[in-house]
Amino acid sequence: MIKLLEARGVGKRFGGLTALSDVSLTINKGEVYGLIGPNGAGKTTFFNVLTGAYIPDDGEFVFNGTELPTGKPHLVVQQGIARTFQNIRLFGQLTALENVMAGHHIRTKAGLWGILMQSKHAIEEERLTTERAFELLKYVGIERFAHTICKSLSYGDQRRLEIARALASEPQLLALDEPAAGMNATETGQLKVLIEQIRHDGITVLLIEHDVKLVMGLCDRVAVLDFGKKIAEDVPAVVQKNEAVISAYLGGPKHAH
Amino acid sequence: MNELIEAVPYLGKRNPRLTKWLIIILALVAPLIAAYFGRSWMRILDFALLYMMLALGLNLVVGFAGLLDLGYIAFYAVGAYTWAFLASPHFGVHMPFWIVLPLGAAFAALAGIILGFPVLRLRGDYLAIVTLGFGEIVRIFMNNLNHPVNITNGPQGINALDSLNLFGWNLSQSLTIGDFKIHYLYLYYYFFLLCVIGSIVFIKRLQISRVGRAWAAMRDDELAAKAIGINVRNMKLLAFSLGATFGGVAGGLFGSFQGFVSPESFSLMESIAVLTMVVFGGMGNIAGAIVGALALTALPEILRNIALPVQEALFGTVILDPEVLRMLLLSLAMILMMLLRPAGLVPAHARYSRPELLKGGA
Amino acid sequence: METLLQQIVNGLVVGSVYALVALGYTMVYGILGLINFAHGEVVMIGALTALQTLLILMGVAPDMAPLLKLAIAVLVAMPVCMILGFLMERLAYRRLRGAPRLAPLITAIGMSFLLQTLAMIIWGRNYHTFPQLISTAPMQPIPGVFVTPVQVAIVIVSALVMAGLILLVTKTRLGRAMRATAENHRVAALMGVDTNAIIALTFVIGAGLAAVAGVMFASNYGIAHYAMGFMPGLKAFTAAVLGGIGNLGGAMLGGIVLGLVEAVGAGYIETMTFGFLNSSYQDIFAFVILGIVLIFRPTGLLGERVSDRA
Ligand SMILES: Nc1ncnc2c1ncn2[C@@H]1O[C@H](COP(=O)(O)OP(=O)(O)OP(=O)(O)O)[C@@H](O)[C@H]1O
Ligand SMILES: [Mg+2]
């Protein structure tokens, strides 16, 4: 097994509140890795420090053998990590297609001069971007809304669109923050198929999810956070029976949807 | 162009081709129509084109990139004063336009970057105030840099600027072809029209490109834009400096056309006026900037011509002078537009992609 | 030395007026996250209304005691401004609460220019002399340092007004409701606070303070005109940011500090720049300070850290 991402003793505090403390974990290439825990356990915060939205107070991330820069989201994406948001964050005035095209930004190079002069290279790149974006819409199954302003898409479709946008940056690791939140059973089923497809296509997935069934069905391994600490890490079946995990969930609010 | 066609009520949707030709013809014969009403209307038309360039540039910053710049007129000032320094008797330097205009644009872009570097991390509303402050600082310097060394000639401004001389063809002298005499205001009109069309083409190309999408992305959600790998700081700087470039070019043209620059032309009210044009037409779309600039340059003048005689007739004196009318109009336009029609007069959906590039057509 | 002391005195006086205006900015910002650009214009309306009242009083009751006249003028200006503040919130800002973030700001800018234009229509473009009803005969508490009674009055009155505001906000139920609303509208509403009323009230109180500040400005400089509010408004906003926006104590501190920096700076800018810049550049200080604070310490002197949630 090849290590893709390694978190080493990551810590993050907000004033007096410790959102993450000494979290270490390793994600291997090609797996679906689950990150679960009660509300406020620090899962989203883990994403935020990983992707450079926040600067961690301690520890570091090693990705593909090199240390990730902190606090520089665009460089993290460049390295091959893409994310979605728990509370959907699309570009409201753009169509679905344009959202995905924007996601491809980092993999394109046309400069100001090329764009203003409409150089051959710029035109060709623009065409490729458009086609690739459309392919990705097909991939997540919403190509019929390609030219719809993203705000008017249904909730579930917006979530897929966010995934497509993230995929457009050609990541090796895709970090999904509660992709099934607010979805009905059918939509969740389709999402499961999509994530399996993504894994099949060679992209490693880091998944935050409250939907126990989804996590158990999809993940190769699961880590559990509670009050910012990792309290367990194993295959789903074992984690499910872990005493500490059970009491963490019983102690906090329940989440089985 | 398509946006502009759609913006034409009724006809735009029914018969886009006809509308297109109507717009083109109108743009070409506009000065003839204006001339019918008098010379002053031709000047107004020329100014409308300058304002269009400004509105297009500011729209790029405010509408595309979502950065509220209240000091935009400072870049116009930089362009105009560059012209005044390098093409007037003030320093006795008379450089040709193809040096001065690009230099003015470059200085303006530089000013944009200098201002941008420190302030672009600020939240939207803070940015607005700091840019406003920048505009005021520039104006204070223009007003006071006549001592101890006289650089700007202070509040009096600089006179007798060189007019536009296109490789030996002086635009401020009427052109005579045979018996036919073309007044210089026409020449400026068509030259400015070319500049506006050039600006539109460039801006449209930017809009439908990775850059335009990156701007729109960070305008709509900065955090998400970062999360897809957009270097937000660089993109903001780019927007700022490109917007400033348009301001700089327009400023140079203004200097050459007016023949005279003084700090008074670059007051905060002018920044606000250009912003109102952008807001009035519709933030983030090119047609909006054009329509806004045209409407808000022409409207005060029309009001001036109607309201003044009416007031004379009714009250025997002028209660609201033209300047007051203009301010009233602009401020009301800004408030009412935001309250009643925030998408602007021309709420066209700005497009950031070319769907026709898809093979299947989709 | 005397010049320095003199500049400090002048700075303190102007600063305490800035502080009053800054409070209005900071309260509105704290509760709505909106820079109410038009707040400076409320100051102007306050001054001009007071002027108008004084002119009328001088016509009707020329023998009235000057202080009484001034008091009446303030008492007229305050409700006028309060109504203005109320109307602005009610007719414009309230409708824009859910709007895209630039909309309220642009409206506020429009509002500011609209008020200036209206004032220009009502009172004309000219500078008006504002009657100096409190003596401006300079006293010399320290030889070489001049202080006028009107300056003393300004400092005392603004200190009193600010103390009153602090009491209101910290000690009363109303103040608690205001703080709760500033903290979180929804939670406050759940706790039974009528947040709309509280927001309107915040505008009204801020406008009342602005009216007082307007009279002070006009009394201090002896003039009033339609554009007199804009620059002080911007400076007061700078003061609010300097102190930490949303923080009442910060607004006061920021006002005083800004007043001092400006006055002392204006006195020394010529020597500092070897005669290149002179006191006509005084207005630059506020903007430079604003820029520096926002870049290096956006939370201001007393502000708390706030971060955008990802
Ligand atoms: N920007 C921030 N400022 C202050 N506190 C924060 C910030 N972001 C998160 N927190 C706090 O850190 C803790 C962890 O939050 P986080 O969002 O990571 O939890 P989570 O595990 O994602 O929970 P949920 O399942 O509800 O999404 C919470 O107590 C939260 O209030
Ligand atoms: Mg979360």
Side-chain angles (χ1 to χ4, degrees):
Chain A
M1 257 181 284
I2 312 162
K3 277 188 209 166
L4 182 64
L5 176 78
E6 197 181 339
R8 292 181 183 157
V10 174
K12 175 75 194 171
R13 286 176 295 276
F14 295 110
L17 181 114
T18 306
L20 286 176
S21 98
D22 198 22
V23 175
S24 299
L25 49 82
T26 306
I27 301 176
N28 298 317
K29 258 200 180 115
E31 70 180 344
V32 175
Y33 189 97
L35 189 61
I36 62 172
N39 279 121
K43 306 179 293 293
T44 300
T45 304
F46 184 81
F47 269 32
N48 284 335
V49 289
L50 168 65
T51 56
Y54 294 163
I55 297 173
D57 295 316
D58 317 296
E60 74 248 335
F61 292 96
V62 178
F63 187 69
N64 269 333
T66 50
E67 197 175 313
L68 281 180
T70 55
K72 298 235 163 54
H74 61 278
L75 295 183
V76 175
V77 183
Q78 182 88 52
Q79 300 276 313
I81 300 180
R83 74 174 289 185
T84 64
F85 291 90
Q86 180 171 353
N87 46 343
I88 305 173
R89 302 187 80 132
L90 290 166
F91 305 128
Q93 294 183 41
L94 303 193
T95 62
L97 184 75
E98 289 160 359
N99 262 280
V100 184
M101 290 175 78
H104 197 53
H105 179 87
I106 192 122
R107 303 295 168 207
T108 50
K109 289 195 274 302
L112 201 55
W113 189 250
I115 291 168
L116 289 180
M117 294 300 139
Q118 293 283 291
S119 74
K120 244 196 176 125
H121 169 258
I123 293 176
E124 180 59 13
E125 192 182 80
E126 180 75 9
R127 194 179 59 77
L128 286 175
T129 304
T130 317
E131 275 172 10
R132 173 141 177 79
F134 193 71
E135 288 305 315
L136 278 168
L137 287 178
K138 270 193 199 155
Y139 187 80
V140 301
I142 54 170
E143 74 276 14
R144 63 187 180 287
F145 301 124
H147 305 305
T148 311
I149 298 290
C150 65
K151 268 196 204 140
S152 40
L153 263 57
S154 76
Y155 197 73
D157 289 340
Q158 290 196 15
R159 287 232 176 260
R160 288 155 185 276
L161 177 55
E162 238 199 353
I163 295 177
R165 183 181 72 186
L167 286 172
S169 70
E170 297 170 6
Q172 300 173 48
L173 177 70
L174 177 66
L176 303 174
D177 197 345
E178 300 197 23
M183 285 188 172
N184 60 31
T186 334
E187 288 174 324
T188 309
Q190 291 167 341
L191 178 72
K192 181 160 182 262
V193 176
L194 176 62
I195 296 177
E196 271 164 351
Q197 181 67 44
I198 291 172
R199 182 214 340 232
H200 179 259
D201 292 334
I203 296 171
T204 310
V205 177
L206 170 56
L207 176 69
I208 296 180
E209 193 44 74
H210 280 309
D211 187 321
V212 177
K213 237 177 65 193
L214 190 65
V215 172
M216 297 305 157
L218 265 175
C219 296
D220 301 296
R221 287 188 305 142
V222 175
V224 187
L225 286 184
D226 188 28
F227 290 114
K229 287 200 179 63
K230 190 176 85 173
I231 54 170
E233 180 185 29
D234 214 316
V235 295
V238 177
V239 165
Q240 221 169 356
K241 298 202 187 71
N242 184 312
E243 293 283 316
V245 174
I246 293 167
S247 71
Y249 268 94
L250 289 181
K254 280 255 186 191
H255 290 288
H257 284 283
Chain B
M1 190 74 204
N2 286 329
E3 280 174 21
L4 206 55
I5 292 169
E6 274 179 43
V8 176
Y10 189 73
L11 203 57
K13 294 227 166 54
R14 308 247 159 162
N15 197 339
R17 276 185 65 113
L18 178 65
T19 320
K20 181 174 165 182
W21 284 108
L22 275 181
I23 292 175
I24 293 174
I25 291 170
L26 205 63
L28 289 177
V29 302
L32 301 174
I33 303 173
Y36 176 80
F37 293 100
R39 283 277 149 74
S40 68
W41 283 99
M42 293 174 65
R43 282 189 79 79
I44 291 164
L45 215 51
D46 289 349
F47 271 108
L49 289 173
L50 284 177
Y51 275 118
M52 277 182 204
M53 280 191 75
L54 285 177
L56 283 167
L58 184 62
N59 181 48
L60 192 144
V61 183
V62 180
F64 289 169
L67 305 166
L68 189 51
D69 182 351
L70 295 183
Y72 186 66
I73 214 70
F75 305 125
Y76 191 53
V78 169
Y81 270 85
T82 304
W83 190 283
F85 292 156
L86 299 180
S88 84
H90 182 57
F91 290 136
V93 187
H94 297 275
M95 290 195 190
F97 87 98
W98 50 270
I99 295 184
V100 185
L101 219 47
L103 263 183
F107 286 148
L110 192 69
I113 291 175
I114 291 173
L115 170 64
F117 252 115
V119 306
L120 283 179
R121 285 186 307 166
L122 304 179
R123 286 192 34 190
D125 35 11
Y126 285 166
L127 181 73
I129 301 255
V130 175
T131 49
L132 187 157
F134 171 76
E136 286 300 287
I137 289 177
V138 169
R139 204 172 53 86
I140 292 173
F141 272 98
M142 289 187 297
N143 253 325
N144 293 296
L145 275 186
N146 51 351
H147 129 112
V149 207
N150 185 4
I151 302 175
T152 61
N153 208 25
Q156 288 89 25
I158 299 173
N159 275 309
L161 271 56
D162 296 356
S163 47
L164 206 57
N165 193 322
L166 301 179
F167 308 105
W169 178 26
N170 192 335
L171 283 197
S172 66
Q173 271 151 25
S174 306
L175 187 68
T176 326
I177 307 170
D179 296 340
F180 222 64
K181 207 160 158 250
I182 305 178
H183 192 264
Y184 80 94
L185 287 172
Y186 287 111
L187 300 181
Y188 269 102
Y189 176 85
Y190 291 112
F191 182 72
F192 287 177
L193 186 65
L194 274 181
C195 293
V196 168
I197 292 173
S199 310
I200 295 177
V201 169
F202 277 160
I203 290 180
K204 193 83 201 174
R205 286 177 176 180
L206 277 171
Q207 181 185 335
I208 304 185
S209 77
R210 63 193 291 270
V211 174
R213 284 187 296 270
W215 283 336
M218 86 192 177
R219 169 197 67 201
D220 288 354
D221 190 330
E222 186 164 333
L223 200 84
K226 284 182 183 161
I228 58 168
I230 290 168
N231 186 335
V232 168
R233 202 201 50 184
N234 286 0
M235 280 298 155
K236 284 184 177 175
L237 269 184
L238 186 62
F240 234 58
S241 52
L242 278 179
T245 309
F246 281 96
V249 173
L253 295 177
F254 167 76
S256 72
F257 176 63
Q258 178 95 338
F260 157 72
V261 293
S262 77
E264 208 183 311
S265 306
F266 310 106
S267 65
L268 176 61
M269 193 57 213
E270 288 303 307
S271 282
I272 302 295
V274 181
L275 177 67
T276 315
M277 291 169 186
V278 173
V279 169
F280 187 74
M283 273 186 279
N285 80 72
I286 294 177
I290 305 277
V291 174
L294 192 61
L296 291 183
T297 318
L299 230 53
E301 300 299 332
I302 295 172
L303 272 184
R304 180 204 299 262
N305 281 291
I306 297 171
L308 295 194
V310 168
Q311 289 181 47
E312 291 273 3
L314 284 181
F315 313 110
T317 108
V318 176
I319 298 175
L320 302 180
D321 64 65
E323 189 48 30
V324 173
L325 274 175
R326 179 169 184 249
M327 275 182 73
L328 203 58
L329 186 78
L330 289 174
S331 49
L332 278 176
M334 201 159 9
I335 299 173
L336 293 179
M337 234 36 206
M338 282 294 115
L339 285 175
L340 306 176
R341 208 181 156 110
L345 204 61
V346 189
H349 276 309
R351 286 290 45 95
Y352 300 90
S353 63
R354 254 193 292 270
E356 63 272 17
L357 288 178
L358 290 173
K359 261 190 277 150
Chain C
M1 193 60 209
E2 280 90 27
T3 12
L4 181 62
L5 276 178
Q6 183 68 56
Q7 304 290 8
I8 288 180
V9 168
N10 296 347
L12 219 56
V13 174
V14 180
S16 53
V17 189
Y18 286 159
L20 268 192
V21 185
L23 283 169
Y25 276 106
T26 231
M27 286 195 299
V28 167
Y29 195 94
I31 217 156
L32 279 184
L34 166 75
I35 300 177
N36 179 16
F37 253 96
H39 191 61
E41 271 55 55
V42 180
V43 174
M44 171 271 292
I45 298 279
L48 285 169
T49 313
L51 172 67
Q52 195 68 53
T53 317
L54 285 177
L55 291 180
I56 293 173
L57 281 179
M58 284 172 176
V60 204
D63 305 328
M64 193 190 278
L67 271 183
L68 186 59
K69 278 188 202 147
L70 196 60
I72 294 178
V74 174
L75 288 181
V76 173
M78 280 180 72
V80 167
C81 287
M82 287 167 145
I83 292 172
L84 183 66
F86 177 78
L87 289 178
M88 277 198 288
E89 196 275 333
R90 199 58 244 268
L91 298 180
Y93 301 142
R94 184 176 298 183
R95 291 146 155 260
L96 289 167
R97 268 192 222 147
R101 64 194 171 88
L102 289 188
L105 195 56
I106 292 175
T107 310
I109 297 166
M111 195 68 83
S112 157
F113 279 86
L114 181 64
L115 289 178
Q116 279 191 40
T117 315
L118 292 179
M120 200 197 274
I121 293 171
I122 300 174
W123 286 288
R125 277 168 203 271
N126 298 334
Y127 285 67
H128 301 278
T129 338
F130 195 90
Q132 307 251 339
L133 294 176
I134 302 177
S135 160
T136 50
M139 312 176 288
Q140 281 195 64
I142 304 168
V145 180
F146 297 91
V147 184
T148 64
V150 72
Q151 288 181 316
V152 176
I154 286 176
V155 175
I156 292 176
V157 171
S158 51
L160 286 178
V161 172
M162 286 191 269
L165 184 75
I166 296 271
L167 281 181
L168 174 80
V169 172
T170 51
K171 292 280 185 295
T172 64
R173 272 191 56 151
L174 198 65
R176 264 208 307 283
M178 287 173 75
R179 279 179 292 147
T181 309
E183 196 70 40
N184 188 328
H185 291 206
R186 259 192 317 173
V187 174
L190 284 178
M191 296 188 322
V193 177
D194 180 353
T195 52
N196 273 338
I198 292 295
I199 292 171
L201 190 73
T202 307
F203 272 85
V204 169
I205 294 177
L209 298 181
V212 177
V215 177
M216 289 176 171
F217 260 117
S219 308
N220 193 30
Y221 296 114
I223 45 171
H225 67 125
Y226 78 96
M228 68 179 282
F230 194 77
M231 261 299 160
L234 284 178
K235 290 179 183 171
F237 173 75
T238 302
V241 172
L242 177 61
I245 193 121
N247 181 315
L248 296 188
M252 300 177 199
L253 180 67
I256 304 286
V257 171
L258 182 66
L260 286 175
V261 170
E262 217 179 52
V264 174
Y268 289 93
I269 184 170
E270 196 143 6
T271 15
M272 280 186 315
T273 58
F274 305 104
F276 192 68
L277 303 182
N278 54 31
S279 56
S280 32
Y281 291 88
Q282 180 181 358
D283 286 346
I284 287 183
F285 285 108
F287 293 122
V288 172
I289 290 179
L290 180 65
I292 291 175
V293 173
L294 284 176
I295 289 155
F296 294 105
R297 198 179 156 81
T299 52
L301 297 173
L302 303 183
E304 291 156 25
R305 268 205 93 69
V306 277
S307 61
D308 282 340
R309 289 219 165 187

